[in-house]
Amino acid sequence: MAMLRRQFAAALAATTGLGALGLTGCSTLGAPRAAIPPGGAQLLYWGGPILTMNDAQPQVEAVAVHAGRIVALGRRDEVAHWQGAATQVVDLQGRTLIPGFVDPHSHLGGVGLQAIAANLLPPPDGPNTGIAQLQDTLRQYIATSPDARELQMAFGFGYDDSQLAEHRHPTRDELDAVSTRLPIVAIHQSGHFAALNSKALERAHHGRHARSAKRHHPPASGVARARWRAGGKRLLWRTAVPDARAERGPGHPLAGKSQALYLQFGYTTVQDGRADPGGVATAVAAAQQGKFKVDVVSYPDILTLGEGRFMQGPYYSRSYRQHWIGGVKLTLDGSPQGKTAWLTQPYVQPPAGLPRSYAGYGVMSDAQATAQMEKAFAHNWQILVHANGDAAIDQMIQAVQSARARYDGAPPMRDRRPVLIHGQTLRHDQVAALRRLGIFPSLFPMHTYYWGDWHRSEVLGDPRAQNISPTGWVLAQGLRFTSHHDAPVVLPSSIRVLDATVNRRTRSGQVLGPEHRVTLWVALQAMTLWAAYQHFEEDHKGSVELGKLADFAVLSGNRLTMLPGQLSQLQVLQTNKEGVVVYQAP
């Protein structure tokens, strides 16, 4: 731990040039250590910076790959010994090679829906600045999308009331103006709300959640929406979404569309957090049919495990091909941008009709949360816990403390690595508890860009807004963290994650929490090596080291000469999975 603190201090002390990356020059630790195969290695990379994410050897000049693994790295003249008649030499031409990004939290199944839905996101990820533009987007989608024709339903994903000119959700009337023939389901960017037209409401009323839907039927002039409660059971639109996915099955092009978004941004390992049983079954079947070009790790919702068949071998295993189950997921509250996160202090501006004392809500009692945590600990399952508000984080801390008191030391014992997902309003005093209890924080600095201004003015106010996803406090305690995008809440853009983690600039250009900005080197580790650690895969992923998988991303530009303010201009040019190019930029 002391060594880890020294590494953090060295990385954080420098702010420009090589020092900002924590680089001290090329090492020769990568001299060939295995027999060179006849014909040479499969691949050689050189001609640009190769950032290893390994503190002991931060940068090398060349890398050799054979049979999907790294067989040599170091100086170019050393690695050149691996060149043979069958070797493909890749000249990076000054561009940067890094390990493939490891996704520490998102929802692959949801991204599949996003991939076939109308893009209702606001700029810069979509065109929708007002409800009229949103209506036009849906009309165009209905007129041109083969998915809308096949499903006989129009899905739109990503509208954000905080970014629409009207600062409200679309109404049923406004969606009826787009179509009264097709059901329309417009899903909020947080994933915690949905607006429906009359046809979609009618379809929901005939579903198995008819009684709940009728209780939430809005007036014609009102907002057709519902909230996540108790595991998402009362979402009106949820009755249609699983059916649409199940009809497509693992062999449908949807599987390709979903992972294509991740590959475009350099991700070689992808998470499907809070997967339902149907989603897990679909992922297992897709892997068995060889449909995945990425590695996929699923975390089924602990509340929907049923008999728990997925939490037994061969599904729940560290030995896998393309897909495995990493543990379980527990959700304790909602989202701050949707004002459903559970806080200890009230929101600055409560939702319409609610009192000034409104501070969000949890989805279960303390006793229920502790029971689920103890269930995970009893089975030695890793558990990811969605907790945005500090009250929800208190509930998680209490549950982990109870579970550790009951099960630590009881055989069979192994490292469980419970993970706090989001932790956006993590308080300073709670960070010490994370360290004491061995809770790994997967934070959401990306919020500083997308909703930072909204948090300051409407949600949290200062100083709470300044300290969302407080990476500075976490590092000061000697902890590692990961930085995620939570797709489909936003696009799975590694570049946006990187930029937000380093710079923390809002849409209006303000820096939110300057003390929580980190160096480029730290931000990259949080997206590669530390993310692999979160998944128990640090021994064979997340860094460019001998024997590890040859999972790479090639980025435009030279990161050694880039200023932090230029990071958003980077592009992923190529994604390489175990020596095979799985994405090439046009």
Side-chain angles (χ1 to χ4, degrees):
M1 187 62 72
M3 179 180 295
L4 186 61
R5 287 199 198 95
R6 288 196 297 272
Q7 292 169 352
F8 284 146
L12 293 169
T15 57
T16 60
L18 289 174
L21 287 168
L23 303 181
T24 57
C26 182
S27 168
T28 59
L29 296 178
R33 298 181 184 177
I36 299 173
Q42 229 174 340
L43 284 165
L44 294 183
Y45 285 92
W46 56 44
I50 298 173
L51 307 184
T52 66
M53 300 300 102
N54 177 7
D55 288 319
Q57 188 181 19
Q59 183 187 356
V60 294
E61 294 179 341
V63 173
V65 173
H66 195 75
R69 292 192 177 267
I70 298 166
V71 292
L73 70 160
R75 293 196 313 262
R76 178 168 173 167
D77 60 344
E78 294 173 333
V79 178
H81 293 299
W82 289 79
Q83 184 174 358
T87 303
Q88 178 187 355
V89 178
V90 179
D91 184 351
L92 295 170
Q93 298 181 334
R95 299 176 176 90
T96 303
L97 184 142
I98 62 170
F101 292 113
V102 176
D103 171 25
H105 181 64
S106 70
H107 309 271
L108 177 65
V111 173
L113 176 61
Q114 184 182 49
I116 65 168
N119 179 5
L120 303 185
L121 291 167
D125 301 320
N128 304 284
T129 58
I131 288 174
Q133 176 67 65
L134 185 148
Q135 290 171 314
D136 287 343
T137 299
L138 285 168
R139 289 188 185 102
Q140 180 70 13
Y141 171 79
I142 290 171
T144 61
S145 169
D147 296 300
R149 288 194 296 272
E150 180 182 344
L151 292 173
Q152 286 299 293
M153 172 176 275
F155 284 109
F157 194 96
Y159 84 86
D160 182 2
D161 56 306
S162 75
Q163 299 303 314
L164 294 175
E166 296 83 358
H167 277 189
R168 63 172 175 81
H169 301 262
T171 66
R172 176 163 57 125
D173 282 343
E174 287 163 339
L175 296 181
D176 282 347
V178 175
S179 177
T180 56
R181 181 182 61 85
L182 277 183
I184 297 176
V185 179
I187 303 168
H188 189 266
Q189 189 170 3
S190 69
H192 290 251
F193 302 96
L196 287 72
N197 72 346
S198 296
K199 194 71 173 177
L201 283 167
E202 178 186 333
R203 184 165 174 176
H205 291 169
H206 288 90
R208 55 183 174 174
H209 302 305
R211 183 177 302 174
S212 174
K214 288 175 181 176
R215 283 202 303 267
H216 291 83
H217 194 300
S221 59
V223 177
R225 66 177 181 174
R227 297 181 182 180
W228 289 95
R229 293 184 190 274
K233 295 292 187 182
R234 291 165 65 181
L235 270 178
L236 296 179
W237 58 269
R238 192 171 176 81
T239 60
V241 173
D243 294 338
R245 180 171 56 193
E247 288 170 5
R248 292 169 170 270
H252 192 278
L254 175 58
K257 289 181 181 180
S258 181
Q259 67 179 323
L261 280 174
Y262 288 91
L263 292 172
Q264 177 183 341
F265 293 110
Y267 285 96
T268 51
T269 298
V270 172
Q271 188 185 111
D272 192 13
R274 200 186 182 196
D276 59 33
V280 176
T282 297
V284 169
Q288 289 172 344
Q289 296 178 24
K291 299 295 183 182
F292 288 134
K293 297 179 181 179
V294 294
D295 289 338
V296 176
V297 54
S298 294
Y299 286 83
D301 188 331
I302 194 170
L303 300 179
T304 62
L305 285 179
E307 78 281 13
R309 65 188 177 93
F310 288 127
M311 302 312 298
Q312 305 165 15
Y315 306 110
Y316 182 54
S317 171
R318 302 288 174 221
S319 301
Y320 65 92
R321 185 175 184 274
Q322 296 186 330
H323 174 266
W324 81 105
I325 294 174
V328 292
K329 176 79 181 292
L330 176 66
T331 299
L332 297 182
D333 71 345
S335 69
Q337 74 271 30
K339 300 185 181 178
T340 55
W342 185 21
L343 306 174
T344 56
Q345 299 297 320
Y347 284 89
V348 171
Q349 297 292 336
L354 294 177
R356 300 293 301 180
S357 60
Y358 173 77
Y361 51 85
V363 300
M364 63 184 65
S365 68
D366 289 347
Q368 289 170 324
T370 297
Q372 296 302 323
M373 186 67 66
E374 290 185 352
K375 178 180 180 180
F377 269 62
H379 289 87
N380 277 313
W381 295 338
Q382 185 185 34
I383 184 167
L384 312 187
V385 180
H386 169 120
N388 266 309
D390 61 328
I393 298 170
D394 279 336
Q395 188 177 60
M396 178 191 179
I397 289 170
Q398 177 184 327
V400 172
Q401 187 166 298
S402 175
R404 284 209 179 281
R406 183 171 181 180
Y407 290 105
D408 274 7
M413 178 63 188
R414 66 177 182 181
D415 183 4
R416 301 181 185 91
R417 291 183 200 174
V419 178
L420 167 63
I421 296 293
H422 304 322
Q424 288 195 68
T425 59
L426 181 67
R427 300 190 311 267
H428 190 275
D429 64 287
Q430 290 173 325
V431 179
L434 300 190
R435 179 183 173 190
R436 183 180 74 254
L437 294 169
I439 298 172
F440 188 93
S442 181
L443 302 179
F444 205 175
M446 207 178 191
H447 252 252
T448 57
Y449 174 77
Y450 281 100
W451 292 285
D453 295 321
W454 180 248
H455 287 332
R456 292 185 69 181
S457 64
E458 296 282 336
V459 179
L460 300 172
D462 287 334
R464 285 188 297 175
Q466 295 288 334
N467 295 316
I468 59 172
S469 292
T471 50
W473 294 346
V474 168
L475 291 174
Q477 285 283 341
L479 295 174
R480 289 172 285 190
F481 69 92
T482 56
S483 186
H484 61 254
H485 46 70
D486 198 24
V489 170
V490 293
L491 292 174
S493 171
S494 56
I495 304 305
R496 183 67 67 188
V497 175
L498 181 67
D499 179 55
T501 308
V502 171
N503 293 308
R504 293 180 66 96
R505 288 197 178 274
T506 69
R507 290 178 187 267
S508 66
Q510 303 298 309
V511 175
L512 201 63
E515 68 271 31
H516 300 303
R517 290 178 295 184
V518 302
T519 64
L520 179 56
W521 181 256
V522 167
L524 284 171
Q525 285 188 311
M527 298 169 67
T528 54
L529 183 58
W530 297 350
Y533 173 87
Q534 180 185 307
H535 288 150
F536 293 91
E537 292 206 291
E538 70 274 18
D539 289 340
H540 60 281
K541 287 183 182 176
S543 61
V544 181
E545 296 185 64
L546 284 174
K548 288 196 172 185
L549 294 178
D551 293 354
F552 303 136
V554 178
L555 306 170
S556 63
N558 186 328
R559 292 204 172 190
L560 301 180
T561 58
M562 290 192 74
L563 298 175
Q566 299 173 317
L567 291 178
S568 63
Q569 301 169 22
L570 281 172
Q571 292 181 309
V572 175
L573 300 180
Q574 186 183 98
T575 305
N576 193 302
K577 183 74 177 85
E578 298 177 38
V580 177
V581 175
V582 289
Y583 169 76
Q584 181 70 52

